[in-house]
Amino acid sequence: MKKIALISTLAALASAQSNLLEIYKNKSFIHQSFADQKSEFSLNLPEFVALEDIDVSASCELISLNLNEPKPLEDERYDKFKKAQNEFEELGNKVGALNAKNKFLNNFSAFKEQSVENLSADADKFYDITLKALAEASQAKKLLNDANLKMQELEREVVNFQKLDLKFECDPKQVKISYPVGVSVNLKNKISALVEKGKVEISQNLTLKNPLYTDLSNLTIALYPFYYSSNLTPEPFYPWYEGKAEPLLAAAPAAMEAYDRAVVTPMKKAKQVSRSYAKDTEASNVQNELANTWRIDNVSLKASEEKSFSYDKQSLDAKFDLVVDGYGGANAYVRAKFKPERSVESSDAEFKIGDVNIGKRYVGYAAGEEAEEFFGKNELVAVKKENNGEFTKESFFGSKNKISQGYKFTVKNGSKLAWDVVLQERAPVSAHESVSVSMKNDPKESELDKEGKVTWKFALKPNESKEINFAYELTRPGK
């Protein structure tokens, strides 16, 4: 009967005509719109929502808003918990009865009126009865402990909700109710390299679970790539006084930072009280002017249902080449350079080259800016690195040493594709006027930067090889 009564109560609750779920980096809010409601109606909210977190706007004046004490949602999870609770109680009663039985058996005074001869004759029977009772009690205690653990685990899964009661001065044609919700969002990108087509394809996806205990239909999901309630103004300007103690005003930015942290702290549950309102207020939303935002329309989520959505796909022109880390493992890595048309939100990404999954990495790209990404080692392009020897020459008077170092690289393209290759090595960099470095490369390097990165750029057709001789001479003061 209790279950039937609950279903009837839920059926009387208001059902939203449309829903908007706004997801920021630190918070989430749901905005539910209702049409043609009675002057008094109710809806269920998550347990953690406080009265001051709720915003209501309507076509007629709101008289009162009341948030009731939380109670469990009697769904399948609650039924499992109650069943486990009943099993725990039954086992507890059984353990109590068995303990009483053992106490009775161990009470020798119950047999004091019997003769020693009769007790001796029944000793074996008494032993068997006692042993069986102890075994039953031990097994029952084990089952009781297991049942307790199971009950506690199921109790953690039980969902509590609060009923929100609204009262208006008339039957409102339109009502919008907004409040925070706890949404766990999992972003995942999929990045595929299509080398022969000269394309990089990027798919942005998110997975989320319905944060409410009712079905959500006609739902729009808005994803914002910034924080809610972060500091909305620049830090105040304070003069810089050099040569004397800083003024007390210098502490203000720290205070602002502390305030910023406070406003993004999860909202605390407020005391459950009723509240009356004078007039409705409406706020404008200009977040779309701040950053690229994402919207997913026409979503339907059942209660507690989890779904994945692809919210953006891009097929981008890409330039591919091979980068050989001669200074490291001397392997040829596939690199792509491309320019995203729309921003790619930072998240874990699955990387593929062709149809092959090659790994995962956390990445994100800005819209309109050239991005560089690697797609693993090309096993079809062999790189061989050989030491050409190391020589040290000392001047006659021992004032200077000359150290020569060199390697020979052989790069062979064993694939069916032609590749542009970038071979990189590392040369020493002078940090003192008494130290000089001269390059002895053959062929001459394509680039040499101030950090000592030596670069050769060349093309390799299928089955073609290229030899690079890297060498330098380092001159420095002798010992």
Side-chain angles (χ1 to χ4, degrees):
M1 291 299 293
K2 188 176 182 182
K3 184 80 178 238
I4 295 174
L6 176 69
I7 294 174
S8 301
T9 302
L10 292 177
L13 296 172
S15 178
Q17 184 182 38
S18 64
N19 300 278
L20 169 63
L21 180 60
E22 292 187 310
I23 302 172
Y24 299 81
K25 282 190 171 184
N26 60 332
K27 288 187 181 296
S28 300
F29 298 87
I30 192 162
H31 309 274
Q32 296 186 284
S33 296
F34 302 84
D36 299 322
Q37 294 297 314
K38 296 295 184 182
S39 61
E40 297 185 33
F41 68 92
S42 303
L43 65 151
N44 291 336
L45 302 187
E47 180 186 14
F48 64 85
V49 177
L51 199 63
E52 63 263 27
D53 301 335
I54 304 168
D55 181 68
V56 180
S57 60
S59 57
C60 60
E61 187 172 340
L62 177 65
I63 298 175
S64 67
L65 191 65
N66 183 60
L67 199 54
N68 296 276
E69 289 295 327
K71 64 179 182 178
L73 179 68
E74 297 187 25
D75 58 1
E76 183 179 351
R77 291 166 292 193
Y78 181 78
D79 291 342
K80 289 181 180 179
F81 163 69
K82 292 301 292 183
K83 182 179 178 182
Q85 189 180 53
N86 291 336
E87 291 175 355
F88 174 75
E89 291 174 355
E90 290 174 2
L91 283 169
N93 293 335
K94 184 176 181 180
V95 169
L98 288 170
N99 287 337
K101 181 179 178 181
N102 284 325
K103 185 176 181 181
F104 172 77
L105 291 173
N106 289 319
N107 186 3
F108 184 78
S109 62
F111 304 95
K112 63 183 179 180
E113 300 299 330
Q114 299 187 41
S115 66
V116 175
E117 292 79 5
N118 291 338
L119 287 175
S120 179
D122 293 334
D124 291 339
K125 293 180 181 179
F126 182 75
Y127 172 81
D128 292 338
I129 292 171
T130 303
L131 189 63
K132 182 179 179 182
L134 289 172
E136 288 177 345
S138 177
Q139 178 65 16
K141 288 177 181 177
K142 181 180 181 304
L143 292 175
L144 180 67
N145 183 60
D146 293 343
N148 184 38
L149 293 175
K150 180 181 178 182
M151 181 184 68
Q152 291 179 11
E153 181 180 347
L154 291 172
E155 187 176 19
R156 287 192 290 268
E157 296 180 7
V158 172
V159 172
N160 291 325
F161 72 94
Q162 306 172 101
K163 191 174 74 161
L164 177 68
D165 297 323
L166 303 99
K167 185 176 181 180
F168 297 88
E169 67 175 3
C170 63
D171 294 345
K173 293 295 182 183
Q174 296 291 333
V175 178
K176 180 182 176 183
I177 302 174
S178 305
Y179 52 92
V181 289
V183 179
S184 177
V185 180
N186 179 25
L187 297 181
K188 181 175 285 187
N189 298 328
K190 295 181 180 180
I191 303 174
S192 299
L194 307 177
V195 178
E196 292 189 73
K197 294 182 179 179
K199 292 284 187 180
V200 166
E201 294 184 345
I202 302 176
S203 173
Q204 298 191 72
N205 309 273
L206 68 84
T207 301
L208 61 82
K209 186 176 182 180
N210 185 345
L212 302 183
Y213 322 123
T214 57
D215 296 348
L216 288 175
S217 59
N218 196 16
L219 170 66
T220 295
I221 300 170
L223 184 65
Y224 302 135
F226 49 85
Y227 290 88
Y228 178 84
S229 291
S230 59
N231 194 2
L232 303 180
T233 62
E235 288 189 6
F237 174 84
Y238 296 102
W240 180 355
Y241 297 100
E242 185 64 35
K244 64 178 182 178
E246 294 287 339
L248 293 177
L249 287 175
M256 290 297 295
E257 182 181 353
Y259 170 77
D260 189 42
R261 287 196 301 269
V263 294
V264 298
T265 301
M267 300 177 184
K268 295 182 179 179
K269 189 173 181 64
K271 183 179 179 181
Q272 306 301 317
V273 294
S274 296
R275 177 180 296 172
S276 296
Y277 290 84
K279 291 185 178 180
D280 300 320
T281 59
E282 293 186 6
S284 60
N285 187 329
V286 295
Q287 281 97 351
N288 286 338
E289 303 297 325
L290 300 176
N292 288 321
T293 63
W294 305 100
R295 294 175 69 90
I296 306 172
D297 297 308
N298 302 318
V299 176
S300 292
L301 283 173
K302 295 184 184 230
S304 300
E305 182 182 16
E306 186 176 77
K307 275 187 179 180
S308 296
F309 306 92
S310 177
Y311 62 90
D312 186 65
K313 290 183 178 180
Q314 302 182 61
S315 181
L316 307 169
D317 292 333
K319 176 176 173 51
F320 290 93
D321 58 10
L322 296 177
V323 177
V324 179
D325 62 333
Y327 52 85
N331 295 303
Y333 292 90
V334 178
R335 178 175 66 176
K337 291 184 178 181
F338 53 93
K339 188 177 290 186
E341 297 171 0
R342 295 173 296 279
S343 63
V344 178
E345 303 308 319
S346 297
S347 75
D348 286 329
E350 294 180 351
F351 283 82
K352 293 178 68 173
I353 185 164
D355 296 324
V356 180
N357 290 310
I358 57 172
K360 288 184 178 181
R361 203 161 70 82
Y362 190 86
V363 297
Y365 312 112
E369 296 185 11
E370 186 175 71
E372 176 184 276
E373 198 54 76
F374 288 91
F375 290 85
K377 184 170 65 173
N378 190 330
E379 301 287 353
L380 298 173
V381 177
V383 182
K384 186 177 181 181
K385 181 179 181 180
E386 300 173 281
N387 195 330
N388 275 348
E390 181 176 342
F391 305 96
T392 302
K393 299 178 184 179
E394 294 184 7
S395 65
F396 182 78
F397 295 104
S399 60
K400 287 187 177 181
N401 288 338
K402 288 188 177 181
I403 301 173
S404 298
Q405 175 73 61
Y407 295 95
K408 183 174 84 169
F409 291 92
T410 304
V411 185
K412 183 176 181 180
N413 183 9
S415 74
K416 65 181 181 179
L417 298 176
W419 285 99
D420 290 328
V421 181
V422 177
L423 172 62
Q424 297 175 340
E425 247 296 358
R426 179 172 53 198
V429 178
S430 174
H432 193 275
E433 60 181 9
S434 63
V435 177
S436 63
V437 180
S438 60
M439 305 306 303
K440 307 290 184 181
N441 299 322
D442 182 25
K444 183 175 172 57
E445 69 277 1
S446 305
E447 296 175 4
L448 173 61
D449 67 17
K450 62 182 180 180
E451 294 181 338
K453 183 187 289 185
V454 189
T455 303
W456 291 266
K457 297 180 180 180
F458 53 92
L460 281 182
K461 296 177 182 178
N463 297 316
E464 188 177 9
S465 297
K466 178 79 172 179
E467 286 189 358
I468 299 289
N469 288 288
F470 163 65
Y472 62 85
E473 187 174 79
L474 173 64
T475 303
R476 63 187 180 189
K479 294 181 179 179

